Amino acid sequence: MKQALNPNLVISLSSSLFHFHTNSKAHFVGKLLTCKDLASTASTHSNVVKYGLSNDTVTTNHLINCYIRLRRIDHARKLFDEMPQRNVVSWTSLMAGYVRQSQPNMAFSLFNQMQGALVQPNEFTFATLINACSILANLDIGRRIHALVEASGFHSNLVVCSCLIDMYGKCNRVDEARLIFDSMCTRNVVSWTSMITAYSQNAQGHHALQLLKELNHSSLLDKPNHFMLCSAICACASLGSLGSGKIIHGVVIRLGHDSSDVVASALVDMYAKCGCVNYCDKIFRRILNPSVIPYTSMIVGAAKYGLGTFSLQLFQEMVDRRIEPNDITFVGVLHACSHSGLIDKGLELLNSMRGKYGVMPDAKHYTCIADMLGRVGRIEEAYQLAKSVQVEGEGYALLWGTLLSASRLHGRVDIALEASNRLIESNQQVAGAYVTLSNTYALAGDWEKAHNLRSEMKRTGVYKEPGSSWIEIKESTYLFHAGNVSKCSQGREMLSLLRELEERMKERGYVGGTSGLVFVDVEDEAKEEIVSLHSEKLALAFGLINTPKGVTIRIMKNLRMCRDCHETFKLISDIVEREFVVRDVNRFHHFKNGLCTCGDFW
């Protein structure tokens, strides 16, 4: 006869098992939160299975997150696939893992399966999906996810809105990002940073700095974090705004962010783009253990300043410290070789990239080599290189656009014609191709073909970007367009000063604008007038009038500085005993005592 179980004993045993299970679960979750390597995670995983918690959704979610932190997405996916029950955290965690591994399409695929399983997404699901759109910079998918956000009632969620701002910024839709920002009821440091970054990444640095000022005046946040400061520093770099950059640098020091590797790298880049290489070096040398990022910023900055040997020394120092260079590092050193005439070294570096450093050369590197060969007149070699490599998209335009400029410079009409035709057929840099080929014909004295090309541009509605230069004085920026001083209150004074300086230059043998630099078939006197009103000269005149003697004048230009302006700046720097720094689309020119740091090689 079987003895009946004591009901109290059954309850007691059940209670004990429940507490054991609960305590074990809390124990393992706690361990998983602190696991920092694969061995300890695998050990904890083994114990989870041993104690019968492998089917527990919460514990498995923590295991998945642990493997994702260790970048073992394959382990995480296996666990996910074996789960008997999944909740929104399970789906979102794995999606976030794929996004972290730069596999956004896998995240979208999972989301489709999640919808099929009728699991409702939460704010973190949408944030993850929007981040996946940011990686792809896919506006269509981004807008579809945005529509789902609206339909699901998360349109006011702080996390989701911040991600949407970032996504629209990455898709070059800054106005749409601003609409979301303005619609937010509450904002935090992430949302402000996202909007400032969106402006900075889309060449709207002035808006980024204005927003930072609004934040500072509103006292909505106690203090900016280092991500926000990095974005603001990048905005200053894009504008060449040294004054604002120094102010933000002061904020960085006051808030104790100057020890951050990322902030220091941004400062190095900013001072480099503002033409202050000495500042760059000082900041760089304060970084205790610089990574590839600050080294690359220094190498690129020195290269654009014409300090090719210094760039190569930095590269060697980096290699000696066993810091692996990346593709951007090689763009920097090849650029340094190109702008300093170090041909043999440049070719040696290109040949060593794949075998010695494991970096595959791409369009950016081949463009540097074509530019390097073109500058010293080795046009045929540059041409053969351009024909031999397979590049597409923007890389194609960069490579053949560089060859077009080099062939114009050295009068190779045949190669210029082929390069321009390739660009026009690919529908890339069309205006630049027409203008450069027209100028090539003009240099060769074939004015009829030059005029025909200009007429074709007018007929097809193709317009060249107008030359413009800007100068910053006391935190205000002043913009000048070639040949136009009508909107400037000091226009007459500027023109008078330029005429006076031109007379003094002629006393030193200067012949203005008559050496084929103006590609229009007009009389020499008219050519002089056209060249004398280039935008950088107008900015220089404005700077000379409005800054104290002895202060370095810094000018930014959207196009390449022409040879006549380059010669003019050299002479004026000696006449007025001032230093000028000009950042054009290619590099820096630092004029002092009648000389330029580029050594007339740019």
Side-chain angles (χ1 to χ4, degrees):
M1 185 176 179
K2 292 183 181 179
Q3 186 175 358
L5 286 173
N6 185 335
N8 292 330
L9 179 61
V10 173
I11 293 169
S12 177
L13 284 170
S14 298
S15 177
S16 297
L17 285 170
F18 173 78
H19 287 299
F20 172 76
H21 187 275
T22 304
N23 290 337
S24 297
K25 178 176 169 181
H27 168 73
F28 289 127
V29 167
K31 288 201 71 175
L32 288 169
L33 289 171
T34 58
C35 284
K36 294 182 179 178
D37 55 65
L38 189 59
S40 60
T41 303
S43 174
T44 307
H45 186 178
S46 177
N47 285 325
V48 165
V49 175
K50 179 180 176 182
Y51 284 92
L53 290 169
S54 57
N55 290 334
D56 180 74
T57 302
V58 173
T59 306
T60 306
N61 285 344
H62 281 284
L63 264 173
I64 288 172
N65 277 318
C66 201
Y67 281 122
I68 286 170
R69 283 201 309 273
L70 297 170
R71 305 184 72 82
R72 298 307 299 261
I73 192 71
D74 51 338
H75 286 53
R77 183 61 192 253
K78 188 173 185 297
L79 273 173
F80 177 84
D81 288 340
E82 293 171 352
M83 290 178 74
Q85 288 187 319
R86 306 174 187 127
N87 60 14
V88 65
V89 177
S90 317
W91 292 92
T92 301
S93 295
L94 191 58
M95 278 190 274
Y98 280 121
V99 171
R100 183 180 291 186
Q101 293 283 82
S102 297
Q103 298 181 50
N105 289 320
M106 290 297 293
F108 293 131
S109 175
L110 266 180
F111 180 65
N112 290 334
Q113 294 174 46
M114 176 181 167
Q115 286 184 303
L118 302 179
V119 177
Q120 291 299 314
N122 62 17
E123 61 192 277
F124 301 108
T125 312
F126 283 121
T128 300
L129 290 168
I130 296 163
N131 288 337
C133 294
S134 295
I135 293 173
L136 293 172
N138 190 314
L139 186 61
D140 290 337
I141 298 176
R143 281 178 171 159
R144 271 183 260 157
I145 300 298
H146 189 179
L148 283 174
V149 166
E150 296 281 346
S152 302
F154 289 102
H155 56 279
S156 298
N157 183 272
L158 191 60
V159 174
V160 174
C161 286
S162 296
C163 291
L164 281 170
I165 291 168
D166 179 68
M167 182 272 293
Y168 280 119
K170 294 280 197 318
C171 294
N172 305 319
R173 297 286 180 168
V174 189
D175 290 344
E176 292 181 59
R178 186 60 194 252
L179 284 173
I180 294 168
F181 180 80
D182 289 340
S183 71
M184 294 174 71
C185 300
T186 57
R187 305 182 186 116
N188 62 6
V189 68
V190 177
S191 47
W192 281 91
T193 300
S194 296
M195 193 64 241
I196 290 170
T197 303
Y199 279 131
S200 181
Q201 290 174 340
N202 286 276
Q204 296 188 35
H206 54 294
H207 287 310
L209 296 180
Q210 182 59 41
L211 195 61
L212 188 66
K213 287 179 182 177
E214 288 178 26
L215 173 61
N216 185 47
H217 293 151
S218 67
S219 301
L220 293 174
L221 295 174
D222 291 335
K223 57 186 178 181
N225 61 16
H226 70 283
F227 295 110
M228 183 184 292
L229 290 170
C230 275
S231 293
I233 293 165
C234 290
C236 295
S238 67
L239 294 170
S241 179
L242 182 60
S244 297
K246 285 182 174 180
I247 291 170
I248 294 171
H249 188 183
V251 175
V252 165
I253 294 171
R254 190 172 72 251
L255 297 178
H257 292 303
D258 49 323
S259 59
S260 164
D261 196 40
V262 177
V263 174
S265 298
L267 284 169
V268 167
D269 181 63
M270 184 272 292
Y271 280 118
K273 288 178 177 173
C274 290
C276 298
V277 180
N278 290 337
Y279 275 80
C280 293
D281 196 44
K282 287 178 182 177
I283 294 165
F284 176 73
R285 296 303 172 189
R286 288 175 187 164
I287 304 173
L288 294 178
N289 295 299
S291 65
V292 64
I293 298 172
Y295 259 111
T296 299
S297 295
M298 271 302 301
I299 288 167
V300 171
K304 286 192 174 291
Y305 215 76
L307 304 174
T309 303
F310 182 44
S311 283
L312 293 171
Q313 287 172 354
L314 286 165
F315 178 76
Q316 190 58 52
E317 178 186 311
M318 174 180 159
V319 171
D320 291 343
R321 295 179 71 166
R322 297 185 179 179
I323 300 169
E324 294 184 1
N326 58 28
D327 60 325
I328 306 301
T329 313
F330 276 103
V331 170
V333 290
L334 292 175
H335 190 85
C337 294
S338 175
H339 286 272
S340 300
L342 304 170
I343 311 302
D344 293 337
K345 185 62 180 178
L347 293 172
E348 177 192 324
L349 283 166
L350 178 72
N351 293 329
S352 71
M353 282 178 62
R354 185 179 305 160
K356 190 173 180 180
Y357 300 102
V359 178
M360 293 292 291
D362 61 20
K364 300 187 297 291
H365 307 106
Y366 292 126
T367 298
C368 287
I369 296 298
D371 182 58
M372 180 180 72
L373 293 169
R375 287 175 188 278
V376 295
R378 292 163 66 169
I379 303 296
E380 195 62 41
E381 291 175 68
Y383 174 56
Q384 294 303 326
L385 173 70
K387 288 200 301 181
S388 66
V389 296
Q390 296 294 320
V391 292
E392 297 177 354
E394 290 184 6
Y396 185 90
L398 280 172
L399 181 58
W400 284 97
T402 296
L403 186 63
L404 175 58
S405 295
S407 55
R408 179 200 65 77
L409 185 65
H410 294 281
R412 286 295 301 267
V413 177
D414 54 336
I415 296 177
L417 180 59
E418 180 177 346
S420 61
N421 284 336
R422 283 176 178 263
L423 290 170
I424 292 166
E425 287 170 6
S426 66
N427 199 32
Q428 298 185 80
Q429 296 187 9
V430 175
Y434 272 123
V435 171
T436 305
L437 184 59
S438 172
N439 293 345
T440 307
Y441 283 132
L443 273 176
D446 195 337
W447 293 106
E448 182 179 353
K449 287 183 178 178
H451 280 307
N452 288 341
L453 275 175
R454 297 282 178 166
S455 298
E456 178 67 12
M457 287 178 67
K458 289 181 181 178
R459 187 185 67 79
T460 56
V462 175
Y463 295 99
K464 175 180 175 286
E465 181 183 8
S468 63
S469 299
W470 58 98
I471 182 172
E472 183 184 22
I473 299 176
K474 295 180 180 179
E475 295 185 56
S476 294
T477 302
Y478 301 88
L479 178 67
F480 299 92
H481 295 286
N484 187 358
V485 292
S486 59
K487 295 182 180 179
C488 182
S489 60
Q490 295 176 298
R492 289 186 179 180
E493 192 178 353
M494 288 159 56
L495 293 177
S496 176
L497 176 59
L498 286 174
R499 279 193 289 268
E500 178 188 336
L501 289 170
E502 188 170 4
E503 290 302 316
R504 294 178 67 179
M505 287 191 294
K506 286 180 177 179
E507 291 172 4
R508 300 187 179 204
Y510 167 73
V511 180
T514 59
S515 57
L517 295 167
V518 179
F519 304 107
V520 184
D521 189 13
V522 295
E523 297 299 323
D524 285 351
E525 186 177 341
K527 287 184 181 182
E528 285 189 34
E529 183 65 22
I530 292 169
V531 172
S532 69
L533 294 180
H534 278 188
S535 63
E536 59 265 55
K537 289 183 181 177
L538 297 177
L540 177 62
F542 186 83
L544 288 170
I545 292 168
N546 293 284
T547 58
K549 189 172 183 178
V551 172
T552 300
I553 294 175
R554 300 175 187 277
I555 296 168
M556 309 294 152
K557 181 174 171 62
N558 68 330
L559 302 175
R560 186 182 179 187
M561 194 177 195
C562 78
R563 289 189 179 276
D564 184 83
C565 286
H566 191 267
E567 190 63 24
T568 297
F569 272 62
K570 282 166 55 181
L571 288 168
I572 294 176
S573 72
D574 194 39
I575 291 170
V576 300
E577 298 179 349
R578 296 277 291 272
E579 292 183 43
F580 313 135
V581 177
V582 178
R583 188 182 93 183
D584 71 7
V585 71
N586 283 337
R587 61 170 300 158
F588 278 95
H589 300 274
H590 188 157
F591 301 94
K592 181 181 179 181
N593 298 328
L595 300 173
C596 179
T597 51
C598 76
D600 297 340
F601 187 84
W602 83 101

